[in-house]
Amino acid sequence: MPLLWALLALGWLRRGSTVYLQPQLASVTFATNNPTLTTVALEKPLCMFDGSEPLSGAYEVYLYVMVDSASSRNASVQDSSGTPLSSTFRHTQGGKTGPYKAAAFDLTPCSDLPSLDAVGDVSQASEILNAYLVRVGNNGTCLWDPNFQGLCNPPLSAATEYRFKYVLVNMSTGLVQDQTLWSDPIRTNRPAPYAAIDTWPGRRSGCMIVITAILGSLPFFLLVAFAGAIVLSFVDMGSSDGETTHDSQITQEAVPKSLGTSETSYTSVNRGPPLDRAEVYSSKLQD
Ligand SMILES: *[C@@H]1O[C@H](CO)[C@@H](O)[C@H](O)[C@H]1NC(C)=O
Ligand SMILES: *[C@@H]1O[C@H](CO)[C@@H](O)[C@H](O)[C@H]1NC(C)=O
Ligand SMILES: *[C@@H]1O[C@H](CO)[C@@H](O)[C@H](O)[C@H]1NC(C)=O
């Protein structure tokens, strides 16, 4: 984990001066499932503004968000005097008409970052991740409050490309002191296509129908094969020793009848009493 931390910090540093750095998507180590449909987790600009020397005085980092479009590539987040824009999600139609301020936070000094070794500890994990990550789009509170004045960070639109920018604001002057470049476009997830989650049988794909048909007729084929096996086994029996046993049974039954002897003994052994009477009756008819 210390190695990870080092990689993270070096990731910012090796790109040289702040001006050429861009906000980065949070590593999957910290944020699995990122981006989601409505949120994007970014690495905070740790060791970025204070990588070479510690910052003096009070400062804050603002995070600006805008929808990517050709006309917004060079969008500025400060006015001519250097004051950072205070445009909101609502003003900019969710970043479509310009950048809005989505978050403001203090940075943990580069020399004082929390150890990632403890990130497995549930009691500390959220605090540590909070020091390393910022999640855009995770607070819709402001959308429900018509009088809301503060920072608004409501859910982003799905399947939309956004760009992000960090700005270092000197709180004693209220001016932009430093800033990153706009990030590369980062696209939020698209919703699962309707057909993929639909279980209505009428919408099955061709492949599914073939598989269903095969599975449906499988028992029939098994039955046919099974019946065939039985028939074959009977044919087998008939052609070999099975034949002789049938013959012997027939001759055993035929012999006493043809001889006309001890009809009663034969029936008493092989059949029940009711048949016994019937045979007596038939023998009387014959007489
Ligand atoms: C903020 O501005 C003051 C006055 O210009 C300066 O002394 C201070 O170093 C600045 N703070 C940061 C964090 O750069
Ligand atoms: C954006 O800014 C760069 C440098 O400041 C400039 O060269 C480029 O022409 C600008 N592009 C647009 C679309 O304004
Ligand atoms: C959401 O935003 C409101 C207003 O800024 C704030 O009071 C609240 O603590 C935020 N909730 C979370 C989970 O960040």
Side-chain angles (χ1 to χ4, degrees):
M1 278 306 202
L3 185 70
L4 256 177
W5 173 87
L7 281 177
L8 216 85
L10 282 174
W12 287 116
L13 288 175
R14 68 161 176 256
R15 289 183 197 104
S17 126
T18 310
V19 177
Y20 302 110
L21 297 178
Q22 290 177 301
Q24 302 288 319
L25 200 60
S27 140
V28 285
T29 317
F30 303 120
T32 53
N33 188 21
N34 181 38
T36 66
L37 287 178
T38 57
T39 69
V40 173
L42 299 171
E43 287 179 11
K44 282 187 173 175
L46 296 170
C47 297
M48 191 168 152
F49 299 119
D50 60 345
S52 47
E53 60 185 52
L55 295 172
S56 58
Y59 60 91
E60 257 188 21
V61 173
Y62 293 174
L63 170 60
Y64 287 90
V65 180
M66 67 174 177
V67 174
D68 182 44
S69 69
S71 64
S72 67
R73 293 270 153 79
N74 273 6
S76 170
V77 295
Q78 63 192 61
D79 63 17
S80 51
S81 67
T83 308
L85 298 181
S86 56
S87 47
T88 66
F89 184 89
R90 229 184 262 270
H91 292 149
T92 63
Q93 294 173 25
K96 287 197 188 78
T97 61
Y100 69 92
K101 189 170 142 190
F105 48 87
D106 294 329
L107 270 189
T108 313
C110 189
S111 54
D112 196 24
L113 291 175
S115 163
L116 285 172
D117 291 337
V119 84
D121 181 349
V122 178
S123 62
Q124 294 180 55
S126 96
E127 192 187 333
I128 292 171
L129 288 181
N130 201 31
Y132 282 90
L133 304 182
V134 56
R135 200 177 278 275
V136 185
N138 72 341
N139 192 342
T141 315
C142 50
L143 288 185
W144 315 118
D145 180 1
N147 299 318
F148 188 82
Q149 291 297 321
L151 263 184
C152 194
N153 183 18
L156 304 171
S157 307
T160 307
E161 288 194 323
Y162 287 92
R163 288 180 186 264
F164 306 90
K165 185 199 261 293
Y166 287 123
V167 171
L168 181 72
V169 179
N170 187 327
M171 298 313 278
S172 55
T173 61
L175 298 180
V176 172
Q177 179 110 11
D178 206 347
Q179 60 185 290
T180 65
L181 296 174
W182 283 102
S183 72
D184 291 332
I186 296 174
R187 180 183 283 274
T188 49
N189 266 351
R190 64 176 64 250
Y194 179 65
I197 51 170
D198 187 17
T199 53
W200 175 246
R203 286 182 192 274
R204 284 178 186 171
S205 70
C207 184
M208 270 176 75
I209 289 169
V210 169
I211 290 172
T212 313
I214 290 173
L215 286 179
S217 52
L218 196 60
F220 171 73
F221 285 123
L222 281 176
L223 207 68
V224 167
F226 187 62
I230 289 175
V231 167
L232 277 178
S233 76
F234 268 122
V235 169
D236 252 12
M237 276 166 67
S239 63
S240 59
D241 56 345
E243 205 168 21
T244 55
T245 57
H246 279 298
D247 277 354
S248 62
Q249 272 169 11
I250 289 166
T251 45
Q252 271 172 11
E253 280 178 19
V255 165
K257 270 181 186 168
S258 61
L259 288 179
T261 58
S262 64
E263 206 175 89
T264 47
S265 70
Y266 170 71
T267 52
S268 65
V269 171
N270 293 298
R271 299 174 194 184
L275 276 175
D276 217 345
R277 252 179 260 134
E279 297 226 341
V280 170
Y281 180 67
S282 67
S283 64
K284 272 178 187 168
L285 272 183
Q286 276 173 1
D287 290 343

